[in-house]
Amino acid sequence: MLVIVSIAVYWATNAVVERSLREGQDRNLQAVAQVILDSAVKTDGSINFELPYQAFEVLAYSAPERIYYAVFLGSEILSGYEDIPLREHAEASSFGDIYRGESTRFVVASKSIRPGSSESLRVVVGQTETSYQKQSSTIAAWIAFAVLVSFALLALWAELSLRHALKPVVAIEQDLIERSADDFSPIERPVPSEVVRLVQTLNRIFEQHRGLLQENRAFIAEATHQIKTPIAAILMRAELLEREVEQQSRSAVRDLIIRARYASKLTTQLLMRATLTYREVLGAREQVDVGALVASILRTLDPVAEIKDVGLVGVDLESSDLIVFGDRIALREAITCLIDNAIDYAPILTDVEVNVCLDDKRVRVTVMDRGPGIDTDELGETFDTDKRSSGHMGLGLSIVEKVAASHQGQLCISNREGGGTQCDLLFAAS
Amino acid sequence: MRLLLVEDTKDLADALLKHLRQAGHTTDHASSLSAAEGFWSSERDAYDVIILDIELPDGEGTTLLKQVRASGLPVGVLVLTARSEVEDKVYLLDVGADDYLTKPFVLDELDARLRAVKRRHIAKPLVTKEVGNLAYDPTNRTLWSGSEQLQLRSQELKLFEGLIQANGWTAAKEFLFDHLYGLDQDASSNAIEVHVSRLRRKLAPHGLDIETIRGYGYQLKVRSVE
C-alpha cells in the first residue's frame, strides 16, 4: 500500500514540478527572444539585430543546457539554425520537440516589420531540457521518499498506539485463558474507560453462570438428600422386618428389599450422571495414576464384596506408567461402576479380577467376573443405553460410556472363556 | 463395640439403633450436632466408632469429625452421606473420616464397614503370637506385618485362626469348616478351598504358605529363607 501511494506521489509530483520548471524555462527563453526581437532594426532595406550574448550566458548559468536560436523574416532565415523544426509548430508560441537527438524546448516571438504588412520577423530560441527533467525527477523522488518515510512512521506510531490501547484487552484475554473452568470470579484488573463496559458485561455473565451452577449443584445435593434418605429408611426397615416375619412372608419382604435397592441404585446413578455432565462442563483434568486409583476403589468395595463372599483381586496395580490425563472423579465412578456391577453378578465364592496394564500407549482396565455373561446378540454392537437399561448394568453402563467418550476412551464387553463377563475400559495413556 | 450414632432422620435412626443393639453394640444416639457434641465431650474415651450423618438440622457433621480428629483419640468415624458427589466423599476422607456409606445402604455393608473402621484404629498390642514374619493379636483379632495391619476379611481371619490352632501341624478340613461356619450354617463344599486360596494370596507376600495335605486338610508353613 505504501509503495503504491509513493509511486502515485512520485508521478503527481514529477508532473507538477516538470510543468513548473517548464513555465520558468519558457519565460527565460521568451525574454531572450524578446531581447533579440527588440534589437532588430531595419536599415537600408536590410534587417539588423543583436544577439544578446549576456542573456545567453544567463541561460547557460541557470542550467547546463545547449541553446539554439534562429531569426526568420517570413520564411527566410536571417541567422541561426535553419533546421529548427518551426514548420511543424507554425502557430505555437512555445513547443517541445526532439532536436538533434535531445528533448528541447522552443519559444517563438514575432513582430511585424511594417505596420499593416503581413511579413513578420520571428525569433525562435530553444534550450535542451535534460537537466530540467533530471531536476524534476530528483525533486519528485525526494518528495516521494519523504512521503514514504512519513507514512512508515505514521504506521509504526499507529501500530504502537493500537498495541498500547489493546494492552488491557490482551491482559484480560490472558486472565481468561489462565483461569480454571470453574472460576467465575469477576475481573478486577483496572482497565481504561473504553473497555469498562466490556469488562462489566463479562463480569455480569460470570455472575449469572456462577449463580446457575451453584443453583444446579445445590439442587442436586438437596434432591439427593430428599430422595435417598426415605429410601434408606424403607430399605432398613424392610431388612429388619425380614428377620422378624414368618418364613412364608419372608420372600415378599425380600422382593421389597430388592426393589428398594434397585430404586436406590438407579437414583444414585441418575444423580451421578448429572454430576458428571456438570463436571464435563467444568473440564476438570489432571494426571491420574490409574493403578493407585483402582487400588483405592478395591479397598472401598472390599466390604461390599465380602458381604457377597466374592473375592476381589487386583493384579499389577503398582506400575507407575499407568497415567491418564483426565477427570479423577469421573474415572473413579466409571471404574467403580464396572467393578460394582461385576460383584453384583459374580456367584458366591468366585473372584472378581481387576487388572490394569499398558496396551499400545493405552491404559487398559480389565474387570472380569464369573457371572452369567451377557447375551451374545448384544456383543459387537454399539452399546445402546436404552436397549440395555433394564439389563446388565442399569444406568451404570451409560455412566461408563459417557466417561469413556469424554476421555477419548473405549469400552469393550465380551464373554470370558469358561463363563463370565470381561469388561475392558481403555484410555489414552498420558 | 461402643458406638455413637448421629442421625437426625427418625425412621432411619430407629432402624439403625435396633439393628446395632441387636448386633450387640452399646449404642448412644444423637439426633443433632449439639447433642452429638454433648455425648462426645462427656464420654470421648468410651467410643470405638462414631456413625456420623453429615446433614444435621443444626450444622454439618464434619464439625464433630474435626473435633474428633483434633483430639487425637483412636476413634473410628464412619460417615453416612446422602450426597452422590464423589468430591464430597473425597473431602470427607480428607478431613478425617475413615470410610463413608452412601444412603441408602444395606445393613450387611454397614456391619462390614464398621468392622473395617474398628480394625483401623486398633494399635498393635504388646503381646502377640508370632507366626513367621507376622504377629497375630488374639484380643482384637488382627494380623500385623511389622507396623502394617493386614486387611483380612472375617472368613479369612477365622481360617487363619483355625490354621494356627493346629500349632504347626495339619488342620483337618472338617475342623476348618466347622470353625468357619459352625455346625448349623450351610455352605458349599468348596467354600474352604476358595477361602484358603484367597488367604494364601494375602499371606504369600509375607513368607507364609498354606500347604494342601491331600485328602486331609491344610498346614500353615513358614517359607524357609534360601
Side-chain angles (χ1 to χ4, degrees):
Chain A
M1 186 65 195
L2 267 179
V3 173
I4 294 170
V5 169
S6 304
I7 290 170
V9 166
Y10 173 82
W11 180 80
T13 313
N14 197 21
V16 170
V17 171
E18 203 175 292
R19 192 176 154 193
S20 161
L21 288 173
R22 183 170 292 147
E23 281 174 5
Q25 190 184 17
D26 281 2
R27 273 196 298 276
N28 289 342
L29 292 174
Q30 191 74 50
V32 173
Q34 199 60 49
V35 169
I36 296 172
L37 207 57
D38 289 347
S39 67
V41 186
K42 195 173 181 185
T43 317
D44 300 332
S46 64
I47 295 183
N48 296 316
F49 53 86
E50 287 176 10
L51 288 177
Y53 291 106
Q54 281 181 333
F56 285 152
E57 274 174 30
V58 170
L59 273 182
Y61 277 124
S62 66
E65 300 287 358
R66 262 179 259 285
I67 297 165
Y68 305 100
Y69 81 97
V71 180
F72 293 92
L73 179 63
S75 57
E76 178 196 357
I77 183 150
L78 299 180
S79 175
Y81 298 81
E82 61 183 320
D83 58 344
I84 285 177
L86 183 61
R87 208 165 290 137
E88 291 85 348
H89 307 281
E91 302 301 321
S93 59
S94 62
F95 59 90
D97 209 331
I98 301 297
Y99 180 63
R100 298 194 177 192
E102 286 182 290
S103 175
T104 309
R105 188 74 190 162
F106 294 97
V107 168
V108 184
S110 62
K111 72 171 182 182
S112 295
I113 297 297
R114 279 188 305 270
S117 166
S118 62
E119 198 175 42
S120 62
L121 189 68
R122 282 197 295 169
V123 177
V124 184
V125 181
Q127 186 181 29
T128 55
E129 51 186 1
T130 313
S131 67
Y132 288 103
Q133 282 172 344
K134 269 188 191 166
Q135 204 176 342
S136 131
S137 298
T138 308
I139 292 171
W142 274 108
I143 290 178
F145 176 70
V147 167
L148 185 71
V149 170
S150 307
F151 267 91
L153 287 172
L154 198 65
L156 189 67
W157 179 77
E159 168 76 19
L160 291 174
S161 305
L162 204 61
R163 272 193 198 177
H164 182 73
L166 287 178
K167 218 171 174 180
V169 179
V170 173
I172 290 169
E173 183 196 14
Q174 198 56 36
D175 277 359
L176 294 178
I177 290 169
E178 282 170 5
R179 68 168 56 196
S180 63
D182 57 343
D183 181 2
F184 290 106
S185 59
I187 298 167
E188 280 166 353
R189 164 186 294 280
V191 289
S193 56
E194 291 82 0
V195 287
V196 162
R197 288 193 63 170
L198 169 71
V199 170
Q200 282 173 344
T201 309
L202 280 174
N203 284 346
R204 202 165 47 245
I205 292 169
F206 288 160
E207 184 63 37
Q208 286 167 350
H209 272 265
R210 192 171 53 221
L212 282 173
L213 278 174
Q214 279 171 349
E215 199 178 303
N216 194 22
R217 291 192 77 171
F219 174 76
I220 290 177
E222 181 62 20
T224 309
H225 188 72
Q226 294 296 336
I227 296 167
K228 284 183 163 187
T229 304
I231 294 178
I234 293 170
L235 193 57
M236 209 149 291
R237 283 193 170 272
E239 280 198 67
L240 292 174
L241 193 63
E242 187 191 16
R243 297 173 189 181
E244 291 165 5
V245 294
E246 300 295 322
Q247 187 69 35
Q248 58 266 32
S249 310
R250 206 166 280 169
S251 70
V253 178
R254 193 77 214 143
D255 191 45
L256 178 67
I257 291 171
I258 290 168
R259 284 167 198 277
R261 279 185 191 168
Y262 189 62
S264 136
K265 187 173 180 174
L266 278 183
T267 312
T268 306
Q269 290 177 339
L270 199 66
L271 294 165
M272 178 47 66
R273 205 177 186 290
T275 304
L276 290 181
T277 304
Y278 160 73
R279 292 190 62 82
E280 208 177 319
V281 173
L282 290 186
R285 296 282 162 120
E286 60 187 300
Q287 302 283 349
V288 181
D289 180 344
V290 180
L293 181 67
V294 169
S296 150
I297 293 170
L298 291 182
R299 276 195 297 279
T300 306
L301 288 180
D302 196 60
V304 180
E306 185 182 357
I307 295 164
K308 276 206 67 184
D309 213 348
V310 168
L312 208 46
V313 184
V315 186
D316 292 342
L317 303 179
E318 307 302 325
S319 171
S320 58
D321 297 333
L322 308 170
I323 306 290
V324 166
F325 185 68
D327 178 0
R328 182 186 296 277
I329 305 291
L331 293 172
R332 187 183 181 94
E333 273 313 301
I335 298 169
T336 301
C337 271
L338 285 182
I339 302 175
D340 195 28
N341 184 66
I343 294 170
D344 271 356
Y345 282 85
I348 186 170
L349 294 173
T350 61
D351 285 342
V352 167
E353 292 166 51
V354 185
N355 175 27
V356 187
C357 63
L358 200 60
D359 177 2
D360 189 24
K361 292 183 183 170
R362 292 196 296 179
V363 173
R364 177 189 288 269
V365 180
T366 305
V367 180
M368 294 179 286
D369 64 57
R370 285 290 178 199
I374 59 169
D375 188 345
T376 48
D377 290 345
E378 290 182 43
L379 288 176
E381 287 182 17
T382 306
F383 293 106
D384 182 336
T385 311
D386 296 333
K387 206 190 275 184
R388 296 173 59 85
S389 60
S390 58
H392 205 252
M393 287 179 71
L395 280 174
L397 182 65
S398 146
I399 290 172
V400 180
E401 281 181 320
K402 187 171 178 56
V403 173
S406 66
H407 288 75
Q408 288 78 49
Q410 193 186 353
L411 171 68
C412 307
I413 303 184
S414 55
N415 282 323
R416 279 177 87 186
E417 209 171 299
T421 309
Q422 173 170 340
C423 295
D424 288 288
L425 193 51
L426 293 118
F427 301 104
S430 176
Chain B
M1 272 190 270
R2 178 77 188 272
L3 306 176
L4 172 60
L5 171 67
V6 187
E7 169 61 61
D8 64 312
T9 310
K10 191 175 179 305
D11 286 350
L12 194 58
D14 288 349
L16 277 170
L17 271 177
K18 189 173 177 181
H19 169 71
L20 292 169
R21 284 171 181 162
Q22 276 177 357
H25 304 301
T26 307
T27 312
D28 293 326
H29 172 228
S31 58
S32 65
L33 178 62
S34 50
E37 285 175 328
F39 275 113
W40 171 247
S41 56
S42 61
E43 294 191 68
R44 60 174 62 193
D45 293 327
Y47 297 114
D48 294 304
V49 178
I50 298 174
I51 303 171
L52 180 63
D53 185 20
I54 285 301
E55 310 254 344
L56 294 169
D58 55 346
E60 289 261 320
T62 45
T63 310
L64 180 66
L65 174 55
K66 287 172 187 168
Q67 288 174 25
V68 173
R69 286 295 164 250
S71 75
L73 290 167
V75 180
V77 179
L78 175 62
V79 167
L80 304 181
T81 171
R83 297 176 185 184
S84 63
E85 292 189 30
V86 188
E87 300 108 300
D88 293 330
K89 297 169 190 168
V90 172
Y91 167 72
L92 291 171
L93 297 179
D94 284 349
V95 292
D98 291 288
D99 203 353
Y100 58 81
L101 254 178
T102 308
K103 294 177 190 173
F105 49 85
V106 293
L107 292 170
D108 286 345
E109 188 178 348
L110 172 71
D111 294 340
R113 291 199 186 274
L114 267 180
R115 281 196 299 272
V117 169
K118 171 77 167 65
R119 274 202 301 270
R120 194 189 271 207
H121 287 280
I122 291 170
K124 190 179 175 184
L126 294 173
V127 181
T128 55
K129 184 176 171 54
E130 304 293 323
V131 188
N133 294 328
L134 299 180
Y136 177 64
D137 165 21
T139 315
N140 291 307
R141 303 184 69 219
T142 50
L143 188 60
W144 300 80
S145 169
S147 58
E148 179 201 350
Q149 194 189 136
L150 265 68
Q151 295 302 312
L152 295 189
R153 288 178 177 181
S154 176
Q155 298 293 62
E156 292 159 358
L157 199 66
K158 281 185 190 170
L159 181 63
F160 182 76
E161 288 168 340
L163 286 168
I164 56 173
Q165 275 181 31
N167 222 359
W169 298 90
T170 304
K173 196 170 170 184
E174 291 74 21
F175 165 74
L176 293 173
F177 194 93
D178 291 344
H179 193 75
L180 255 73
Y181 295 105
L183 295 172
D184 52 348
Q185 203 176 343
D186 289 339
S188 69
S189 57
N190 71 334
I192 291 293
E193 280 93 333
V194 173
H195 288 301
V196 165
S197 153
R198 288 178 188 164
L199 182 60
R200 194 178 268 148
R201 220 158 35 211
K202 289 187 179 174
L203 295 181
H206 303 283
L208 282 183
D209 287 332
I210 302 174
E211 197 171 300
T212 306
I213 309 298
R214 197 169 291 276
Y216 185 63
Y218 299 93
Q219 193 175 351
L220 193 62
K221 284 197 163 175
V222 179
R223 204 182 304 141
S224 55
V225 182
E226 290 173 6

